[in-house]
Structures are given as structure tokens and as C-alpha cells.
Amino acid sequence: MNVQFDFHDRHVFVFGGTTGINLGIAQAFAGAGARISVASRKQENVDFALATLGARALGLVADVRDDAAVAAALATSRARHGEIDVLVSGAAGNFLAEVNSMSSNAFKVVVDIDLQGSFHVARHAYEHLRKPGASLIFISAPQSTVPMPYQAHVCAAKAGVDHFARVLALEWGAAGVRVNAISPGPIAGTEGMRRLAPQGKQGDELVRAMVPLGRMGTPEEIAQLAMFLGSDAASYISGAVIACDGGAQGHLTPMIAAAAQAGMAR
Ligand code: HXC
Ligand code: NAP
């Protein structure tokens, strides 16, 4: 990649930023000079992320479902790194399950992490954001617009995330805070794809059929969009949900159905 961003003197906080796509985003901002904070549930993931993010990075254990823990993590990061310039909210949970075999708690756990967690992160971040100029970026998914079998919980939660982002863009615009969402397509080497895509030749053939660009994306490609949205180059973009999916336009149902048929649903 030869696109360069400069985030020196900026504080970037990535919730759920310890593995996968979100860690790729944190690494990209760190590489562009930002002071980085990341948070997630598991100490081992926080340690793993910190080992890649440079000596100044701050790693915190916090569950986005825990209102008080989210508030505390954001306050700690403000004390260490100052006002937050870019906040990425990307914590999520996913598994394949038909509605008829889903318990109340199975539906709830995904909504609690993806949607209620997004509320906690945004609600408590507001006082710590640099105003004007800060940018909030939610990590959505194609499920937010395209109905997919075995994904009722994720479809409902991510649709809520998109609309929540649009409302925040209305409410926070006057303070000069921009709010957007990124909707990644299938991203190689991630937990999401381990859970939702058949592995090997079958998976490769499905991706070629579904994605006009003929391949999965990379965390680095999602990170480039996140850095664009967090930069002054995107100073008039707010309330947008932007796909980064190789042209698939969210149409990943064959992949989900094949994964379920391959026995990846419980
Ligand atoms: C049916 C299931 C299930 C499954 C869990 N449950 N897995 N039900 N089929 N495969 C049910 C449990 O039985 C329980 O209900 C309830 O869900 C909560 O499960 P817990 O294990 O107690 O929850 P918890 O320990 O909080 O873990 C949360 C989790 C887990 C979401 C279930 O998978 C997780 O931690 N995920 C984080 C990582 C992740 O999912 N990454 C992928 C993100 S990809 P009962 O009734 O028994 O109490 C993504 C989009 C990708 O988001 C888009 C690609 C295009
Ligand atoms: P991942 O590696 O599992 O990332 C999820 C992150 O969220 C982890 O760091 C996890 O760390 C954290 N997390 C989970 N539950 C949490 C909670 N309750 N509180 C705080 N942190 C929590 O998955 P991924 O595949 O890279 O997905 C990352 C994001 O991209 C998600 O928002 C997902 O919906 C979206 N997405 C992914 C794809 C894809 O192809 N993979 C496609 C479209 C959208 P802990 O376990 O330590 O908490």
C-alpha cells in the first residue's frame, strides 16, 4: 500500500482492538504515529495486541456489555493519552444458529455485545472526545442490510448499529464530531471467516463466485478505510455506512448457507 496517513499527536481508541480486523486497524493507526488504546475481555488477547502495538500503547480489559467497565476504560485512556481523536467500536460476537434452535440468551448475547455494547462505548466516550474534530467509527457487517440465514441475531444487531450511527451523526454534528460505520466483506484469516465460511477449496470457489474482485479482503484494507474516515480527508463525511467488500454488496448468503451445511452450525 502506498497511501500514507499521519496520526502523530492523535489518540486512537479501538474497542475490541485485540485480534483480527480491529487489531489490524489499531496496528495501522499505530504505524501512522497515533497514541493507541485497545480494550477487550481477555487479558491474553490484550497482551497479544500490546506486543504488536509499540511501547506507548495502552491495553485494557473491559467487556462492552459492562457499562461501568467501559466508562472506566475510556477514562483511563483519557488520563494516559489525552482526548480521543478517533474511536473505533468493533467488538462483536457471532455463531451460526437457526432461529428455531436459538435460546433467548443466544440471541441476547450477540445483541448485547454488538448493539448495546456500541451504545455503551459511544455514550461514555462522548465526554472524552476531542471536540470539534473527533471521529467515531463503528464496525458493522453485510448482515446489517442483507438478511442471512443462521444470522438473525447478527442481522438485527448490526442493522441497529448502522441506524445508531446515523442518529449519533445527527446529534453530535453540532459539536463537530463525525460518526460513520464500515461494513467489511469477507476478510481473510479472521475469526469471523473461521466461523462463517467453509474452509479450503469450497470456500475459495464461493468467494470467487460472490466477490467481483475475486478474493477475500485483508485487515489492512479495512484499516485504510478506517484511517481515511478518521482523517481530515473525510472532514465532510458523517452518517455514512461504507462497504469495503470487493464489490460483493453484502451478498454472502451462499457462503453462510454452505458453512451451515458443512456442519459449522451447532
Ligand atoms: C447456538 C449458541 C452458540 C451456537 C453460543 N450459544 N454459541 N447457541 N449455537 N453456536 C449460546 C449459548 O448456549 C448461550 O445460551 C448463549 O449463546 C451465550 O453463550 P456464552 O458462551 O455463555 O457467551 P459468552 O461466553 O459471552 O461468549 C459470547 C459468544 C462467543 C458470542 C457466544 O462466541 C464469543 O465470545 N465470540 C467473540 C468472538 C467472535 O464471535 N468473533 C467473530 C466476530 S465476526 P444459553 O441459553 O445456553 O445460556 C462477526 C461478523 C462477521 O461479527 C461477518 C462476516 C461476513
Ligand atoms: P474477532 O477477531 O473475534 O474480533 C472481535 C474482537 O472483539 C476481539 O478482539 C474480542 O476480544 C473482542 N470482543 C468480543 N466480545 C467482546 C466484548 N463483550 N467486550 C469487549 N470486547 C469483545 O473477529 P473479526 O472477524 O476480526 O471481526 C471484527 C469486527 O469486524 C466485528 O465487528 C465483526 O462483526 C466485523 N466483521 C468481520 C468480518 C470478517 O470477515 N471477519 C466481516 C464483516 C464484519 P476478546 O475475546 O478478548 O473480548
Side-chain angles (χ1 to χ4, degrees):
M1 301 249 182
N2 56 10
V3 182
Q4 298 295 324
F5 291 94
D6 184 357
F7 284 93
H8 284 94
D9 300 323
R10 307 278 174 102
H11 176 194
V12 177
F13 194 130
V14 186
F15 244 102
T18 61
T19 64
I21 293 172
N22 302 325
L23 176 58
I25 291 171
Q27 289 168 335
F29 277 108
R35 301 186 299 276
I36 294 286
S37 303
V38 292
S40 77
R41 291 169 301 176
K42 297 177 189 151
Q43 184 70 55
E44 68 262 29
N45 288 343
V46 172
D47 293 341
F48 171 77
L50 283 180
T52 75
L53 289 170
R56 287 190 309 168
L58 175 67
L60 298 157
V61 172
D63 189 322
V64 291
R65 293 170 286 188
D66 182 341
D67 200 37
V70 170
L74 288 159
T76 301
S77 82
R78 171 47 168 315
R80 165 77 85 91
H81 283 325
E83 289 177 316
I84 298 169
D85 295 281
V86 180
L87 174 67
V88 179
S89 176
N94 199 339
F95 48 82
L96 293 164
E98 284 182 289
V99 172
N100 288 349
S101 66
M102 213 185 268
S103 69
S104 171
N105 196 36
F107 190 86
K108 182 177 186 300
V109 73
V110 171
V111 172
D112 278 354
I113 298 171
D114 293 27
L115 181 55
Q116 187 75 31
S118 295
F119 170 79
H120 292 154
V121 170
R123 171 71 184 82
H124 291 299
Y126 186 76
E127 69 178 286
H128 303 299
L129 296 176
R130 187 183 305 282
K131 296 178 278 290
S135 167
L136 168 54
I137 302 166
F138 291 103
I139 307 301
S140 185
Q143 285 88 334
S144 74
T145 54
V146 176
M148 295 185 199
Y150 317 103
Q151 291 284 277
H153 44 0
V154 178
C155 289
K158 293 288 194 180
V161 168
D162 286 7
H163 227 42
F164 182 51
R166 294 183 185 105
V167 172
L168 280 183
L170 297 179
E171 294 192 4
W172 290 2
V177 178
R178 296 182 297 104
V179 184
N180 295 291
I182 294 173
S183 181
I187 304 303
T190 59
E191 184 61 28
M193 286 302 97
R194 274 188 286 280
R195 292 177 183 228
L196 300 185
Q199 307 301 305
K201 196 164 166 253
Q202 188 193 8
D204 295 344
E205 283 169 4
L206 277 166
V207 166
R208 271 196 294 277
M210 291 180 311
V211 181
L213 289 183
R215 62 173 177 84
M216 288 199 193
T218 65
E220 292 75 18
E221 288 172 318
I222 303 302
Q224 288 288 317
L225 177 54
M227 289 197 293
F228 168 69
L229 286 174
S231 77
D232 297 340
S235 54
Y236 201 54
I237 300 179
S238 194
V241 179
I242 301 179
C244 185
D245 68 354
Q249 301 181 53
H251 296 296
L252 305 178
T253 298
M255 181 185 80
I256 304 281
Q261 274 163 17
M264 292 167 71
R266 195 167 73 176

